Coordinates of all heavy atoms in Angstrom, one line a residue:
M635 N 8.1 1.5 2.2 CA 8.4 0.2 2.7 C 9.8 0.2 3.2 O 10.7 0.6 2.5 CB 8.1 -0.8 1.7 CG 8.1 -2.3 2.2 SD 7.6 -3.4 0.9 CE 5.9 -2.9 0.6
P636 N 10.0 -0.3 4.4 CA 11.4 -0.2 5.0 C 12.3 -1.2 4.3 O 11.9 -2.3 3.9 CB 11.2 -0.5 6.4 CG 9.9 -1.3 6.5 CD 9.1 -0.8 5.4
T637 N 13.6 -0.9 4.3 CA 14.6 -1.8 3.8 C 15.4 -2.3 4.9 O 16.0 -1.6 5.7 CB 15.5 -1.1 2.8 OG1 14.7 -0.6 1.7 CG2 16.5 -2.1 2.2
Y638 N 15.5 -3.6 5.0 CA 16.3 -4.2 6.1 C 17.6 -4.8 5.5 O 17.6 -5.2 4.4 CB 15.5 -5.4 6.8 CG 14.2 -4.9 7.4 CD1 13.0 -5.1 6.8 CD2 14.3 -4.3 8.7 CE1 11.8 -4.7 7.4 CE2 13.1 -3.9 9.3 CZ 11.9 -4.1 8.6 OH 10.7 -3.7 9.2
E639 N 18.6 -4.7 6.3 CA 19.9 -5.2 5.9 C 20.3 -6.3 6.8 O 20.2 -6.2 8.1 CB 20.9 -4.1 5.9 CG 22.2 -4.5 5.3 CD 23.2 -3.4 5.1 OE1 22.9 -2.2 5.5 OE2 24.3 -3.6 4.5
Y640 N 20.7 -7.4 6.2 CA 21.2 -8.5 7.0 C 22.6 -8.9 6.7 O 23.1 -8.5 5.6 CB 20.3 -9.8 6.7 CG 18.9 -9.6 7.1 CD1 18.0 -9.1 6.1 CD2 18.4 -10.0 8.3 CE1 16.7 -8.9 6.4 CE2 17.0 -9.8 8.6 CZ 16.2 -9.3 7.7 OH 14.9 -9.1 8.0
E641 N 23.3 -9.5 7.6 CA 24.6 -10.0 7.3 C 24.7 -11.4 7.8 O 24.3 -11.8 8.9 CB 25.7 -9.1 8.1 CG 27.1 -9.6 7.8 CD 28.1 -8.7 8.5 OE1 27.8 -7.5 8.8 OE2 29.3 -9.1 8.6
C642 N 25.3 -12.2 6.9 CA 25.5 -13.6 7.2 C 26.6 -13.9 8.2 O 27.7 -13.3 8.1 CB 25.8 -14.4 5.9 SG 26.0 -16.2 6.2
N643 N 26.3 -14.6 9.2 CA 27.3 -14.9 10.2 C 28.4 -15.9 9.7 O 29.5 -15.9 10.2 CB 26.6 -15.6 11.4 CG 25.8 -14.6 12.3 OD1 26.2 -13.4 12.3 ND2 24.8 -15.1 12.9
A644 N 28.1 -16.6 8.6 CA 29.0 -17.5 8.1 C 29.9 -16.9 7.0 O 31.1 -17.0 7.1 CB 28.3 -18.7 7.5
C645 N 29.3 -16.3 6.0 CA 30.1 -15.8 4.9 C 30.2 -14.3 4.9 O 30.8 -13.7 4.1 CB 29.6 -16.3 3.6 SG 28.0 -15.6 3.1
H646 N 29.5 -13.6 5.9 CA 29.5 -12.2 6.0 C 29.0 -11.4 4.8 O 29.4 -10.3 4.5 CB 30.9 -11.7 6.4 CG 31.3 -12.3 7.7 ND1 30.8 -11.8 8.9 CD2 32.2 -13.2 8.0 CE1 31.4 -12.5 9.9 NE2 32.3 -13.4 9.3
Q647 N 28.1 -12.1 4.0 CA 27.6 -11.4 2.9 C 26.4 -10.5 3.3 O 25.6 -10.9 4.1 CB 27.1 -12.4 1.9 CG 26.3 -11.8 0.7 CD 26.0 -12.8 -0.4 OE1 26.8 -13.5 -0.9 NE2 24.7 -12.8 -0.7
R648 N 26.4 -9.3 2.8 CA 25.3 -8.4 3.2 C 24.1 -8.6 2.2 O 24.3 -8.8 1.0 CB 25.8 -6.9 3.0 CG 26.8 -6.5 4.0 CD 26.2 -6.5 5.4 NE 27.1 -6.1 6.5 CZ 27.2 -4.8 6.9 NH1 26.4 -3.9 6.4 NH2 28.0 -4.5 7.8
V649 N 23.0 -8.7 2.8 CA 21.7 -8.9 2.1 C 20.8 -7.8 2.4 O 20.5 -7.5 3.6 CB 21.1 -10.3 2.4 CG1 19.8 -10.5 1.7 CG2 22.1 -11.4 2.1
E650 N 20.2 -7.1 1.4 CA 19.2 -6.1 1.6 C 17.9 -6.7 1.2 O 17.7 -7.3 0.2 CB 19.5 -4.9 0.8 CG 20.6 -4.0 1.4 CD 20.7 -2.7 0.7 OE1 20.0 -2.5 -0.3 OE2 21.6 -1.9 1.1
A651 N 16.9 -6.5 2.1 CA 15.6 -7.0 1.8 C 14.5 -6.0 2.1 O 14.5 -5.3 3.1 CB 15.3 -8.3 2.7
V652 N 13.7 -5.8 1.1 CA 12.6 -4.8 1.3 C 11.4 -5.6 1.8 O 10.8 -6.4 1.1 CB 12.2 -4.1 0.0 CG1 11.1 -3.1 0.2 CG2 13.4 -3.4 -0.6
Q653 N 11.0 -5.3 3.0 CA 9.9 -6.1 3.6 C 8.9 -5.2 4.3 O 9.2 -4.1 4.6 CB 10.5 -7.1 4.7 CG 11.5 -8.1 4.1 CD 12.0 -9.0 5.2 OE1 12.7 -8.5 6.1 NE2 11.6 -10.2 5.2
K654 N 7.7 -5.8 4.4 CA 6.8 -5.1 5.3 C 7.1 -5.3 6.7 O 7.9 -6.2 7.1 CB 5.4 -5.6 5.0 CG 4.9 -5.5 3.6 CD 3.6 -6.1 3.4 CE 3.2 -6.1 1.9 NZ 1.9 -6.8 1.6
F655 N 6.5 -4.6 7.6 CA 6.7 -4.8 9.0 C 6.2 -6.1 9.5 O 6.7 -6.7 10.4 CB 6.1 -3.6 9.8 CG 6.8 -2.4 9.8 CD1 6.4 -1.3 9.0 CD2 8.0 -2.2 10.5 CE1 7.1 -0.1 9.0 CE2 8.7 -1.1 10.5 CZ 8.3 0.0 9.7
A656 N 5.2 -6.6 8.7 CA 4.5 -7.8 9.1 C 5.3 -9.0 8.6 O 5.0 -10.1 9.1 CB 3.1 -7.8 8.6
D657 N 6.1 -8.8 7.6 CA 6.9 -9.9 7.1 C 7.9 -10.5 8.1 O 8.4 -9.8 8.9 CB 7.6 -9.5 5.8 CG 6.7 -9.3 4.7 OD1 5.5 -9.7 4.8 OD2 7.1 -8.8 3.7
A658 N 8.0 -11.8 8.0 CA 9.0 -12.5 8.8 C 10.4 -12.1 8.4 O 10.7 -12.0 7.2 CB 8.8 -14.0 8.8
P659 N 11.3 -11.9 9.3 CA 12.7 -11.5 9.0 C 13.4 -12.7 8.3 O 13.1 -13.9 8.6 CB 13.3 -11.1 10.3 CG 12.5 -11.9 11.3 CD 11.1 -11.9 10.8
L660 N 14.4 -12.3 7.5 CA 15.2 -13.4 6.9 C 16.1 -14.0 7.9 O 16.6 -13.3 8.8 CB 16.0 -12.8 5.7 CG 15.2 -12.1 4.6 CD1 16.2 -11.5 3.6 CD2 14.3 -13.1 3.9
T661 N 16.3 -15.3 7.8 CA 17.1 -15.9 8.8 C 18.2 -16.8 8.1 O 19.1 -17.2 8.8 CB 16.3 -16.8 9.7 OG1 15.5 -17.7 8.9 CG2 15.3 -16.0 10.6
V662 N 18.0 -17.1 6.9 CA 18.9 -18.0 6.2 C 19.6 -17.3 5.0 O 18.9 -16.7 4.2 CB 18.2 -19.3 5.7 CG1 19.2 -20.2 5.0 CG2 17.5 -20.0 6.9
C663 N 20.9 -17.4 5.0 CA 21.7 -16.8 3.9 C 21.4 -17.6 2.6 O 21.5 -18.9 2.6 CB 23.2 -16.9 4.2 SG 24.2 -16.3 2.9
E664 N 21.1 -16.9 1.5 CA 20.8 -17.6 0.3 C 22.1 -18.1 -0.4 O 22.1 -18.9 -1.3 CB 20.1 -16.6 -0.7 CG 18.7 -16.2 -0.2 CD 18.1 -15.3 -1.2 OE1 18.7 -14.9 -2.2 OE2 16.9 -15.0 -1.0
S665 N 23.2 -17.6 0.0 CA 24.5 -18.0 -0.6 C 25.0 -19.3 0.0 O 25.4 -20.2 -0.7 CB 25.5 -16.9 -0.5 OG 25.1 -15.7 -1.2
C666 N 25.1 -19.3 1.3 CA 25.7 -20.5 1.9 C 24.8 -21.2 2.9 O 25.2 -22.2 3.4 CB 27.0 -20.0 2.6 SG 26.6 -19.0 4.1
G667 N 23.6 -20.7 3.1 CA 22.7 -21.3 4.0 C 23.0 -21.0 5.5 O 22.5 -21.6 6.4
G668 N 23.9 -20.1 5.7 CA 24.3 -19.7 7.1 C 23.2 -18.9 7.7 O 22.1 -18.5 7.1
E669 N 23.5 -18.5 8.9 CA 22.5 -17.7 9.7 C 22.6 -16.2 9.5 O 23.7 -15.7 9.5 CB 22.7 -18.0 11.2 CG 21.6 -17.3 12.1 CD 21.8 -17.6 13.5 OE1 22.8 -18.4 13.9 OE2 21.0 -17.1 14.4
L670 N 21.5 -15.6 9.2 CA 21.5 -14.1 9.0 C 21.2 -13.4 10.3 O 20.4 -13.9 11.0 CB 20.5 -13.7 7.9 CG 20.8 -14.2 6.5 CD1 19.7 -13.7 5.6 CD2 22.1 -13.6 6.0
R671 N 21.8 -12.3 10.4 CA 21.5 -11.4 11.5 C 21.2 -10.0 11.0 O 21.7 -9.6 10.0 CB 22.6 -11.3 12.6 CG 23.9 -10.7 12.0 CD 24.9 -10.7 13.1 NE 26.2 -10.2 12.6 CZ 26.5 -8.9 12.6 NH1 25.7 -8.0 13.1 NH2 27.7 -8.5 12.2
K672 N 20.2 -9.4 11.6 CA 19.8 -8.1 11.1 C 20.8 -7.0 11.4 O 21.4 -6.9 12.5 CB 18.4 -7.7 11.7 CG 17.8 -6.5 11.0 CD 16.4 -6.3 11.6 CE 15.4 -7.4 11.1 NZ 14.1 -7.1 11.5
V673 N 21.1 -6.2 10.5 CA 22.0 -5.1 10.6 C 21.3 -3.7 10.6 O 20.5 -3.5 9.7 CB 23.1 -5.1 9.5 CG1 24.1 -3.9 9.7 CG2 23.9 -6.4 9.6
F674 N 21.5 -2.9 11.6 CA 20.8 -1.6 11.6 C 21.8 -0.6 11.2 O 22.6 0.0 12.1 CB 20.3 -1.3 13.0 CG 19.2 -2.3 13.4 CD1 19.4 -3.4 14.2 CD2 17.9 -2.0 13.1 CE1 18.4 -4.2 14.5 CE2 16.9 -2.8 13.4 CZ 17.1 -4.0 14.2
S675 N 21.9 -0.3 10.0 CA 22.8 0.7 9.5 C 22.3 2.1 9.6 O 23.0 3.1 9.7 CB 23.2 0.4 8.0 OG 22.0 0.4 7.2
G676 N 21.0 2.2 9.5 CA 20.3 3.5 9.6 C 20.2 4.3 8.3 O 19.5 5.3 8.2
V677 N 20.9 3.8 7.3 CA 20.8 4.5 6.0 C 19.8 3.9 5.1 O 19.4 4.5 4.1 CB 22.2 4.4 5.3 CG1 23.2 5.2 6.1 CG2 22.6 3.0 5.0
G678 N 19.3 2.7 5.4 CA 18.4 2.1 4.5 C 16.9 2.5 4.7 O 16.1 2.4 3.8
I679 N 16.7 3.0 5.9 CA 15.3 3.4 6.2 C 15.2 4.9 6.1 O 15.8 5.7 6.8 CB 14.9 2.9 7.6 CG1 15.0 1.4 7.6 CG2 13.4 3.3 7.9 CD1 14.7 0.8 9.0
V680 N 14.3 5.4 5.2 CA 14.2 6.8 5.0 C 12.7 7.2 5.2 O 11.8 6.7 4.5 CB 14.6 7.3 3.6 CG1 14.3 8.8 3.5 CG2 16.1 7.0 3.4
F681 N 12.4 8.0 6.2 CA 11.1 8.5 6.3 C 10.9 9.8 5.5 O 11.4 10.8 5.9 CB 10.8 8.8 7.8 CG 10.9 7.5 8.7 CD1 12.0 7.2 9.4 CD2 9.8 6.6 8.7 CE1 12.1 6.1 10.1 CE2 9.9 5.5 9.5 CZ 11.0 5.2 10.2
K682 N 10.2 9.7 4.5 CA 10.0 10.8 3.5 C 9.2 11.9 4.1 O 9.3 13.0 3.7 CB 9.3 10.3 2.3 CG 10.2 9.3 1.5 CD 9.4 8.8 0.3 CE 10.3 7.7 -0.5 NZ 9.6 7.2 -1.7
G683 N 8.5 11.6 5.2 CA 7.6 12.7 5.7 C 8.3 13.6 6.7 O 7.8 14.6 7.0
S684 N 9.4 13.1 7.2 CA 10.1 13.9 8.2 C 10.7 15.2 7.7 O 11.3 15.2 6.6 CB 11.2 13.0 8.9 OG 12.2 12.8 7.9
G685 N 10.6 16.2 8.4 CA 11.2 17.5 8.0 C 10.3 18.3 7.1 O 10.6 19.4 6.6
F686 N 9.1 17.8 6.8 CA 8.2 18.5 5.9 C 7.8 19.8 6.5 O 7.6 20.8 5.8 CB 7.0 17.6 5.5 CG 6.0 18.3 4.7 CD1 6.2 18.5 3.3 CD2 4.8 18.8 5.2 CE1 5.3 19.1 2.5 CE2 3.9 19.4 4.5 CZ 4.1 19.6 3.1
Y687 N 7.6 19.7 7.8 CA 7.0 20.9 8.4 C 8.0 22.0 8.5 O 7.7 23.2 8.7 CB 6.6 20.5 9.9 CG 7.7 20.1 10.7 CD1 8.4 21.0 11.5 CD2 8.1 18.8 10.8 CE1 9.4 20.6 12.3 CE2 9.1 18.3 11.6 CZ 9.8 19.3 12.4 OH 10.8 18.9 13.1
K688 N 9.3 21.7 8.3 CA 10.3 22.7 8.4 C 10.3 23.7 7.3 O 10.7 24.9 7.4 CB 11.7 22.1 8.4 CG 12.0 21.2 9.7 CD 13.4 20.6 9.6 CE 13.6 19.8 10.9 NZ 14.9 19.1 10.8
T689 N 9.8 23.3 6.1 CA 9.7 24.2 5.0 C 8.4 25.0 5.0 O 8.2 25.9 4.2 CB 9.7 23.4 3.7 OG1 8.6 22.5 3.6 CG2 11.0 22.6 3.6
D690 N 7.5 24.6 5.9 CA 6.2 25.3 6.0 C 6.3 26.4 7.0 O 6.1 26.2 8.2 CB 5.1 24.3 6.3 CG 3.7 24.9 6.2 OD1 3.7 26.1 5.7 OD2 2.8 24.3 6.7
S691 N 6.7 27.6 6.5 CA 6.8 28.7 7.4 C 5.6 29.5 7.6 O 5.4 30.6 7.0 CB 8.0 29.6 7.0 OG 7.7 30.0 5.7
R692 N 4.6 28.9 8.3 CA 3.4 29.6 8.4 C 3.5 30.6 9.6 O 4.2 30.4 10.5 CB 2.2 28.6 8.7 CG 1.8 27.9 7.5 CD 0.8 26.9 7.8 NE 1.3 25.8 8.6 CZ 0.6 24.8 9.1 NH1 -0.7 24.7 8.8 NH2 1.1 23.8 9.8
G693 N 2.7 31.7 9.5 CA 2.6 32.6 10.6 C 3.7 33.7 10.6 O 3.8 34.5 11.4
T694 N 4.6 33.6 9.5 CA 5.6 34.6 9.5 C 5.2 35.7 8.5 O 4.2 36.4 8.6 CB 6.9 34.0 9.0 OG1 6.7 33.3 7.8 CG2 7.4 33.0 10.1
S695 N 6.0 36.0 7.5 CA 5.7 37.0 6.5 C 4.5 36.7 5.7 O 4.1 35.5 5.5 CB 7.0 37.2 5.6 OG 8.1 37.6 6.4
S696 N 4.0 37.7 5.0 CA 2.8 37.5 4.2 C 3.1 37.3 2.8 O 2.8 38.1 1.9 CB 1.8 38.7 4.4 OG 2.5 39.9 4.0
S697 N 3.9 36.2 2.5 CA 4.2 35.9 1.1 C 3.2 35.1 0.4 O 3.1 35.1 -0.8 CB 5.6 35.2 1.1 OG 5.4 34.0 1.8
S698 N 2.3 34.5 1.2 CA 1.3 33.7 0.6 C -0.1 34.4 0.8 O -0.3 35.1 1.8 CB 1.2 32.3 1.2 OG 0.9 32.4 2.6
T699 N -1.0 34.1 -0.1 CA -2.3 34.8 -0.1 C -3.2 34.0 0.9 O -3.3 32.8 0.8 CB -3.0 34.8 -1.5 OG1 -2.1 35.4 -2.4 CG2 -4.3 35.6 -1.4
P700 N -3.8 34.7 1.8 CA -4.8 34.0 2.7 C -5.9 33.4 1.9 O -6.4 34.1 0.9 CB -5.3 35.1 3.6 CG -4.2 36.2 3.5 CD -3.6 36.1 2.2
P701 N -6.4 32.2 2.2 CA -7.5 31.6 1.4 C -8.8 32.3 1.6 O -9.7 32.2 0.8 CB -7.6 30.2 2.0 CG -6.9 30.3 3.4 CD -5.9 31.4 3.3
S702 N -8.9 33.2 2.6 CA -10.2 33.9 2.8 C -10.4 35.0 1.8 O -11.5 35.4 1.5 CB -10.2 34.5 4.2 OG -9.1 35.4 4.3
S703 N -9.3 35.4 1.1 CA -9.4 36.5 0.1 C -9.7 36.0 -1.2 O -10.0 36.7 -2.2 CB -8.1 37.3 0.1 OG -7.1 36.5 -0.4
T704 N -9.7 34.6 -1.4 CA -10.0 34.0 -2.7 C -11.5 34.0 -2.9 O -12.2 33.6 -2.1 CB -9.5 32.6 -2.7 OG1 -8.1 32.5 -2.4 CG2 -9.7 31.9 -4.1
P705 N -11.9 34.5 -4.1 CA -13.3 34.5 -4.4 C -13.9 33.1 -4.4 O -13.3 32.1 -4.9 CB -13.4 35.1 -5.8 CG -12.1 35.8 -6.0 CD -11.1 35.1 -5.1
A706 N -15.1 32.9 -3.8 CA -15.7 31.6 -3.7 C -16.1 31.1 -5.0 O -16.4 29.9 -5.1 CB -16.8 31.7 -2.7
A707 N -16.2 31.9 -6.0 CA -16.8 31.5 -7.3 C -15.7 30.8 -8.1 O -16.0 30.3 -9.2 CB -17.3 32.7 -8.1
T708 N -14.5 30.8 -7.6 CA -13.4 30.1 -8.4 C -13.6 28.6 -8.4 O -13.6 28.0 -7.4 CB -12.0 30.5 -7.8 OG1 -11.9 31.9 -7.7 CG2 -10.9 29.9 -8.6
P709 N -13.7 28.1 -9.6 CA -13.9 26.6 -9.7 C -12.6 25.9 -9.5 O -11.5 26.5 -9.7 CB -14.4 26.4 -11.2 CG -13.7 27.6 -11.9 CD -13.7 28.7 -10.9
P710 N -12.7 24.7 -9.0 CA -11.4 23.9 -8.8 C -10.8 23.6 -10.2 O -11.3 22.8 -11.0 CB -11.9 22.6 -8.1 CG -13.4 22.5 -8.4 CD -13.9 24.0 -8.6
S711 N -9.7 24.2 -10.4 CA -9.0 24.1 -11.7 C -8.1 22.8 -11.8 O -8.3 22.0 -12.7 CB -8.2 25.3 -12.0 OG -7.3 25.5 -11.0
S712 N -7.3 22.7 -10.8 CA -6.4 21.5 -10.9 C -6.9 20.3 -10.1 O -7.3 20.5 -9.0 CB -5.0 21.9 -10.4 OG -5.1 22.4 -9.0
P713 N -6.9 19.2 -10.7 CA -7.3 18.0 -10.0 C -6.2 17.6 -8.9 O -5.1 18.0 -9.1 CB -7.4 16.9 -11.1 CG -6.5 17.4 -12.1 CD -6.5 18.9 -12.1
A714 N -6.7 16.9 -8.0 CA -5.7 16.5 -6.9 C -4.7 15.5 -7.5 O -5.1 14.6 -8.3 CB -6.5 15.8 -5.8
P715 N -3.5 15.6 -7.1 CA -2.4 14.7 -7.6 C -2.6 13.3 -7.1 O -2.8 13.1 -5.9 CB -1.1 15.4 -7.1 CG -1.5 16.2 -6.0 CD -2.9 16.7 -6.3
S716 N -2.6 12.4 -8.0 CA -2.8 11.0 -7.6 C -1.5 10.5 -6.9 O -0.4 10.9 -7.3 CB -3.1 10.1 -8.8 OG -2.1 10.2 -9.7
P717 N -1.7 9.6 -6.0 CA -0.5 9.0 -5.3 C 0.4 8.3 -6.3 O -0.1 7.5 -7.1 CB -1.1 8.0 -4.3 CG -2.5 8.5 -4.1 CD -2.9 9.2 -5.4
S718 N 1.7 8.6 -6.2 CA 2.6 8.0 -7.2 C 3.1 6.6 -6.9 O 3.7 5.9 -7.6 CB 3.8 8.9 -7.3 OG 4.5 9.0 -6.1
S719 N 2.7 6.1 -5.7 CA 3.1 4.8 -5.3 C 2.3 3.7 -6.0 O 1.2 3.6 -5.9 CB 3.0 4.6 -3.8 OG 1.6 4.8 -3.4
S720 N 3.0 3.0 -6.9 CA 2.3 2.0 -7.7 C 2.3 0.7 -7.1 O 1.8 -0.3 -7.6 CB 3.0 1.9 -9.1 OG 4.4 1.6 -8.9
D721 N 2.8 0.6 -5.9 CA 2.9 -0.7 -5.3 C 1.6 -1.0 -4.4 O 1.6 -0.7 -3.3 CB 4.2 -0.9 -4.4 CG 4.4 -2.3 -4.1 OD1 3.5 -3.2 -4.1 OD2 5.6 -2.6 -3.8
Ligands
ZN1350 ZN1 26.3 -16.8 4.0

């Protein structure tokens, strides 16, 4: 979920809000009731999926075992990891 940062035009207080994309943006400062404007700092939004492919060096050296050489009789030992996002 993205984090938006706002700054009050009146008291210049910074406000961070975690919102969905569908949520309406904040417009009123909770401290003084002034007008908030959205600040794009770029540090609050992190896409966890980006760069994942960079660590996946497929097609290069044979450090990993091809799945075709695995015996088909091997039962699934480890269950799939459940998503950790509790929200
Ligand atoms: Zn304010």
